[in-house]
Amino acid sequence: MRPSRRSLFAATAVLGSALAVPAPAEAAEVPATGAYYVQSAVTGLNAADSAGAIVQHNPKGNEDHQQWALRQNGSSFVLESADAAGSCLGRSGDQARTVACTSADAAWEVTSSGAEQYALKAPGTNRYLTVTDRSAGSNYPAQLAIGSSGALASWYLTPVAPATRPMPPQDQRTLDQVTFLTAHNAYANGVDGGFAPPFVNFFPNQNRGINQQLADGVRGFMLDLHQTPDGAILCHNSCTLVSRPVALWVDLQRMVDFLKQHPDQFVTVFLEDYVDPGVLRSELARVNGLSDVLYRPDRTGVRENGWPKLADLTAAGQRLLIFTDHSRASDESAGLTRDSFGVMYQREWTVENYWSMGSGLGSSDWSCYSRWYGADTNVPLTRTEPGFRPLFVMNHFRDAAIAGTAGTDNTKLADRARRFCEPAARKKPNYLAVDRYDLGDPASAVNTLNTYVYP
């Protein structure tokens, strides 16, 4: 099966009242001694020891030689490998290399560059640890370098074990502090209707219909949307040969009806969106009561002031957030943007890790890195703006939904979130997206994440 692109969500804001969220405190001039990931502020990737070379790798928790112990050494600092005592992150000529911690080339001046970022400078020089410029049409090179100051020489020192805070009381929690159980390909359940051509139809991503998913506590829904002569239909890859396909408006009506019966609940829809904007607008117009519950973060100052309290959103009736993964630029060319009728563009409001951990069987890739990092785009999981942190969608599923594998993966969800994905994004996941949410009790991982706030 092809990777799902998916449209997310991002939600916040109320009628102007309680939007204010304190801005994050400025980083200390010198970070505290401790264990850190050295993480590029540009790419979000981690500095790793690869046979003596210091290279950018996908964040991988306590694996792959990516943890460094920061300690003072006279008037400067060293970063000692957690996996090789006496070996430090240093430099050799114009390249970043591991060197003996006693070497002068292991010493760094560490200074704050603002926005929780740091510069690592060779003492007595104007040479810094830096990512190398990329050439046109390519990724940033893996090998880290010693070069000039600037954005590419800005680093997060992300704690391996950050000091979390208890979750605020229910009525004080902002949207970006809450984690929601999310169903990957929620429509592909075999209960509400067909979702794929023959054979693929035998491997549903979920085992329960949308109404039951809502009753079971699912609050995020990833839906693939295709255009047909009958309108916008939910199906995988295409709707050809799909028996009994379900229209988007049908599932959205189920969600709106649920929200009207449960006025304290909040739901997010992520559209992997292959339809023209006019078709989508017409489809939404068929949903009775949609405008009564639709949430518009673009109209309430969220980007300037941060996410509002979830309780304020529900009190204002703004309880359904819809995201699209479609391109704003292509919609502008077509003369109709989706946010003009309330569908938010995902990349403007969220970050999201790569969609797959591997095939349905065999080896796994548990690293956590942006699905929007490549030669043509660069949206790191660590992206942040003054006063605003994007919501974080954590994908935790494979290419194919095989029940036994999904059940086992779901038992490891909380562990991957804490050890791999939280430090990779420098934030707590807001949406945990899984296949077969009925297996492996992923709801317990959601409950665990909802007991604390990431610093």
Side-chain angles (χ1 to χ4, degrees):
M1 299 200 310
R2 199 182 55 73
S4 289
R5 275 183 313 162
R6 133 181 33 319
S7 140
L8 302 180
F9 68 167
T12 154
V14 194
L15 303 176
S17 62
L19 276 174
V21 174
E26 282 297 311
E29 185 64 27
V30 178
T33 296
Y36 293 92
Y37 300 102
V38 180
Q39 191 171 18
S40 168
V42 170
T43 67
L45 305 184
N46 285 346
D49 175 11
S50 178
I54 303 297
V55 298
Q56 294 189 99
H57 277 182
N58 297 334
K60 206 169 183 180
N62 60 339
E63 302 176 11
D64 193 39
H65 314 296
Q66 297 183 9
Q67 294 184 359
W68 306 91
L70 178 73
R71 55 183 172 82
Q72 196 152 7
N73 183 28
S75 60
S76 57
F77 291 84
V78 295
L79 286 153
E80 184 174 16
S81 171
D83 299 317
S87 180
C88 279
L89 190 161
R91 53 202 174 271
S92 176
D94 291 334
Q95 289 194 331
R97 305 279 302 180
T98 53
V99 298
C101 293
T102 54
S103 167
D105 286 329
W108 299 98
E109 293 178 3
V110 181
T111 57
S112 171
S113 53
E116 304 177 23
Q117 297 171 18
Y118 294 91
L120 278 66
K121 184 170 78 75
T125 74
N126 288 317
R127 303 174 73 232
Y128 295 79
L129 179 68
T130 183
V131 174
T132 303
D133 273 315
R134 62 180 175 182
S135 58
S138 66
N139 292 343
Y140 288 98
Q143 173 70 55
L144 296 179
I146 310 302
S148 59
S149 61
L152 292 175
S154 291
W155 301 90
Y156 293 111
L157 294 178
T158 301
V160 169
T164 59
R165 296 180 285 111
M167 181 69 95
Q170 193 84 29
D171 62 348
Q172 297 298 311
R173 300 174 183 180
T174 56
L175 185 63
D176 57 324
Q177 293 175 331
V178 180
T179 301
F180 300 96
L181 178 60
T182 299
H184 170 236
N185 286 353
Y187 66 95
N189 54 61
V191 176
D192 296 327
F195 60 89
F199 181 70
V200 176
N201 221 47
F202 290 121
F203 296 93
N205 296 93
Q206 307 301 334
N207 202 39
R208 298 172 181 174
I210 295 295
N211 283 336
Q212 188 61 51
Q213 292 178 35
L214 287 161
D216 291 343
V218 175
R219 294 295 178 266
F221 298 86
M222 293 178 169
L223 308 175
D224 291 11
L225 186 63
H226 290 264
Q227 191 166 322
T228 74
D230 297 320
I233 304 299
L234 301 173
C235 42
H236 198 75
N237 291 343
S238 80
C239 298
T240 304
L241 302 179
V242 176
S243 63
R244 300 186 304 114
V246 178
L248 172 65
W249 77 268
V250 173
D251 274 353
L252 288 181
Q253 190 67 65
R254 291 175 170 131
M255 296 173 197
V256 170
D257 291 346
F258 173 85
L259 289 172
K260 292 196 172 183
Q261 295 165 10
H262 300 83
D264 61 339
Q265 298 299 302
F266 189 91
V267 167
T268 303
V269 173
F270 313 103
L271 297 178
E272 182 176 328
D273 186 350
Y274 300 95
V275 305
D276 293 333
V279 171
L280 180 57
R281 182 174 60 180
S282 296
E283 194 74 5
L284 298 184
R286 301 180 67 180
V287 182
N288 293 325
L290 176 62
S291 61
D292 297 335
V293 296
L294 191 62
Y295 172 52
R296 298 287 303 267
D298 58 330
R299 293 183 171 179
T300 47
V302 172
R303 302 193 75 88
E304 296 76 27
N305 302 305
W307 299 102
K309 296 173 185 175
L310 191 59
D312 290 337
L313 286 173
T314 56
Q318 300 171 351
R319 297 182 290 120
L320 177 64
L321 180 60
I322 305 177
F323 282 83
T324 177
D325 67 348
H326 210 83
S327 161
R328 173 186 285 278
S330 65
D331 284 350
E332 288 174 341
S333 298
L336 177 63
T337 62
R338 290 163 211 253
D339 56 0
S340 68
F341 51 87
V343 177
M344 303 294 102
Y345 290 97
Q346 172 181 338
R347 296 191 195 190
E348 298 178 5
W349 299 95
T350 73
V351 293
E352 179 181 355
N353 66 308
Y354 183 65
W355 66 274
S356 174
M357 296 188 296
S359 67
L361 295 172
S363 61
S364 303
D365 181 2
W366 292 72
S367 64
C368 214
Y369 61 100
S370 176
R371 71 175 303 158
W372 302 319
Y373 175 72
D376 59 343
T377 186
N378 179 37
V379 183
L381 290 182
T382 54
R383 179 170 69 95
T384 188
E385 301 167 21
F388 170 73
R389 288 179 184 266
L391 299 174
F392 175 25
V393 180
M394 177 182 157
N395 293 315
H396 186 80
F397 48 84
R398 298 174 185 256
D399 300 11
I402 297 174
T405 304
T408 300
D409 287 346
N410 288 347
T411 65
K412 302 174 182 179
L413 181 56
D415 180 64
R416 185 180 181 222
R418 290 293 297 269
R419 288 198 297 124
F420 291 78
C421 292
E422 283 186 5
R426 294 175 52 83
K427 57 178 72 75
K428 191 174 73 171
N430 301 108
Y431 296 85
L432 292 182
V434 300
D435 284 332
R436 292 300 303 273
Y437 76 88
D438 57 308
L439 302 175
D441 196 16
S444 66
V446 173
N447 292 337
T448 297
L449 267 65
N450 279 327
T451 62
Y452 67 89
V453 174
Y454 192 85

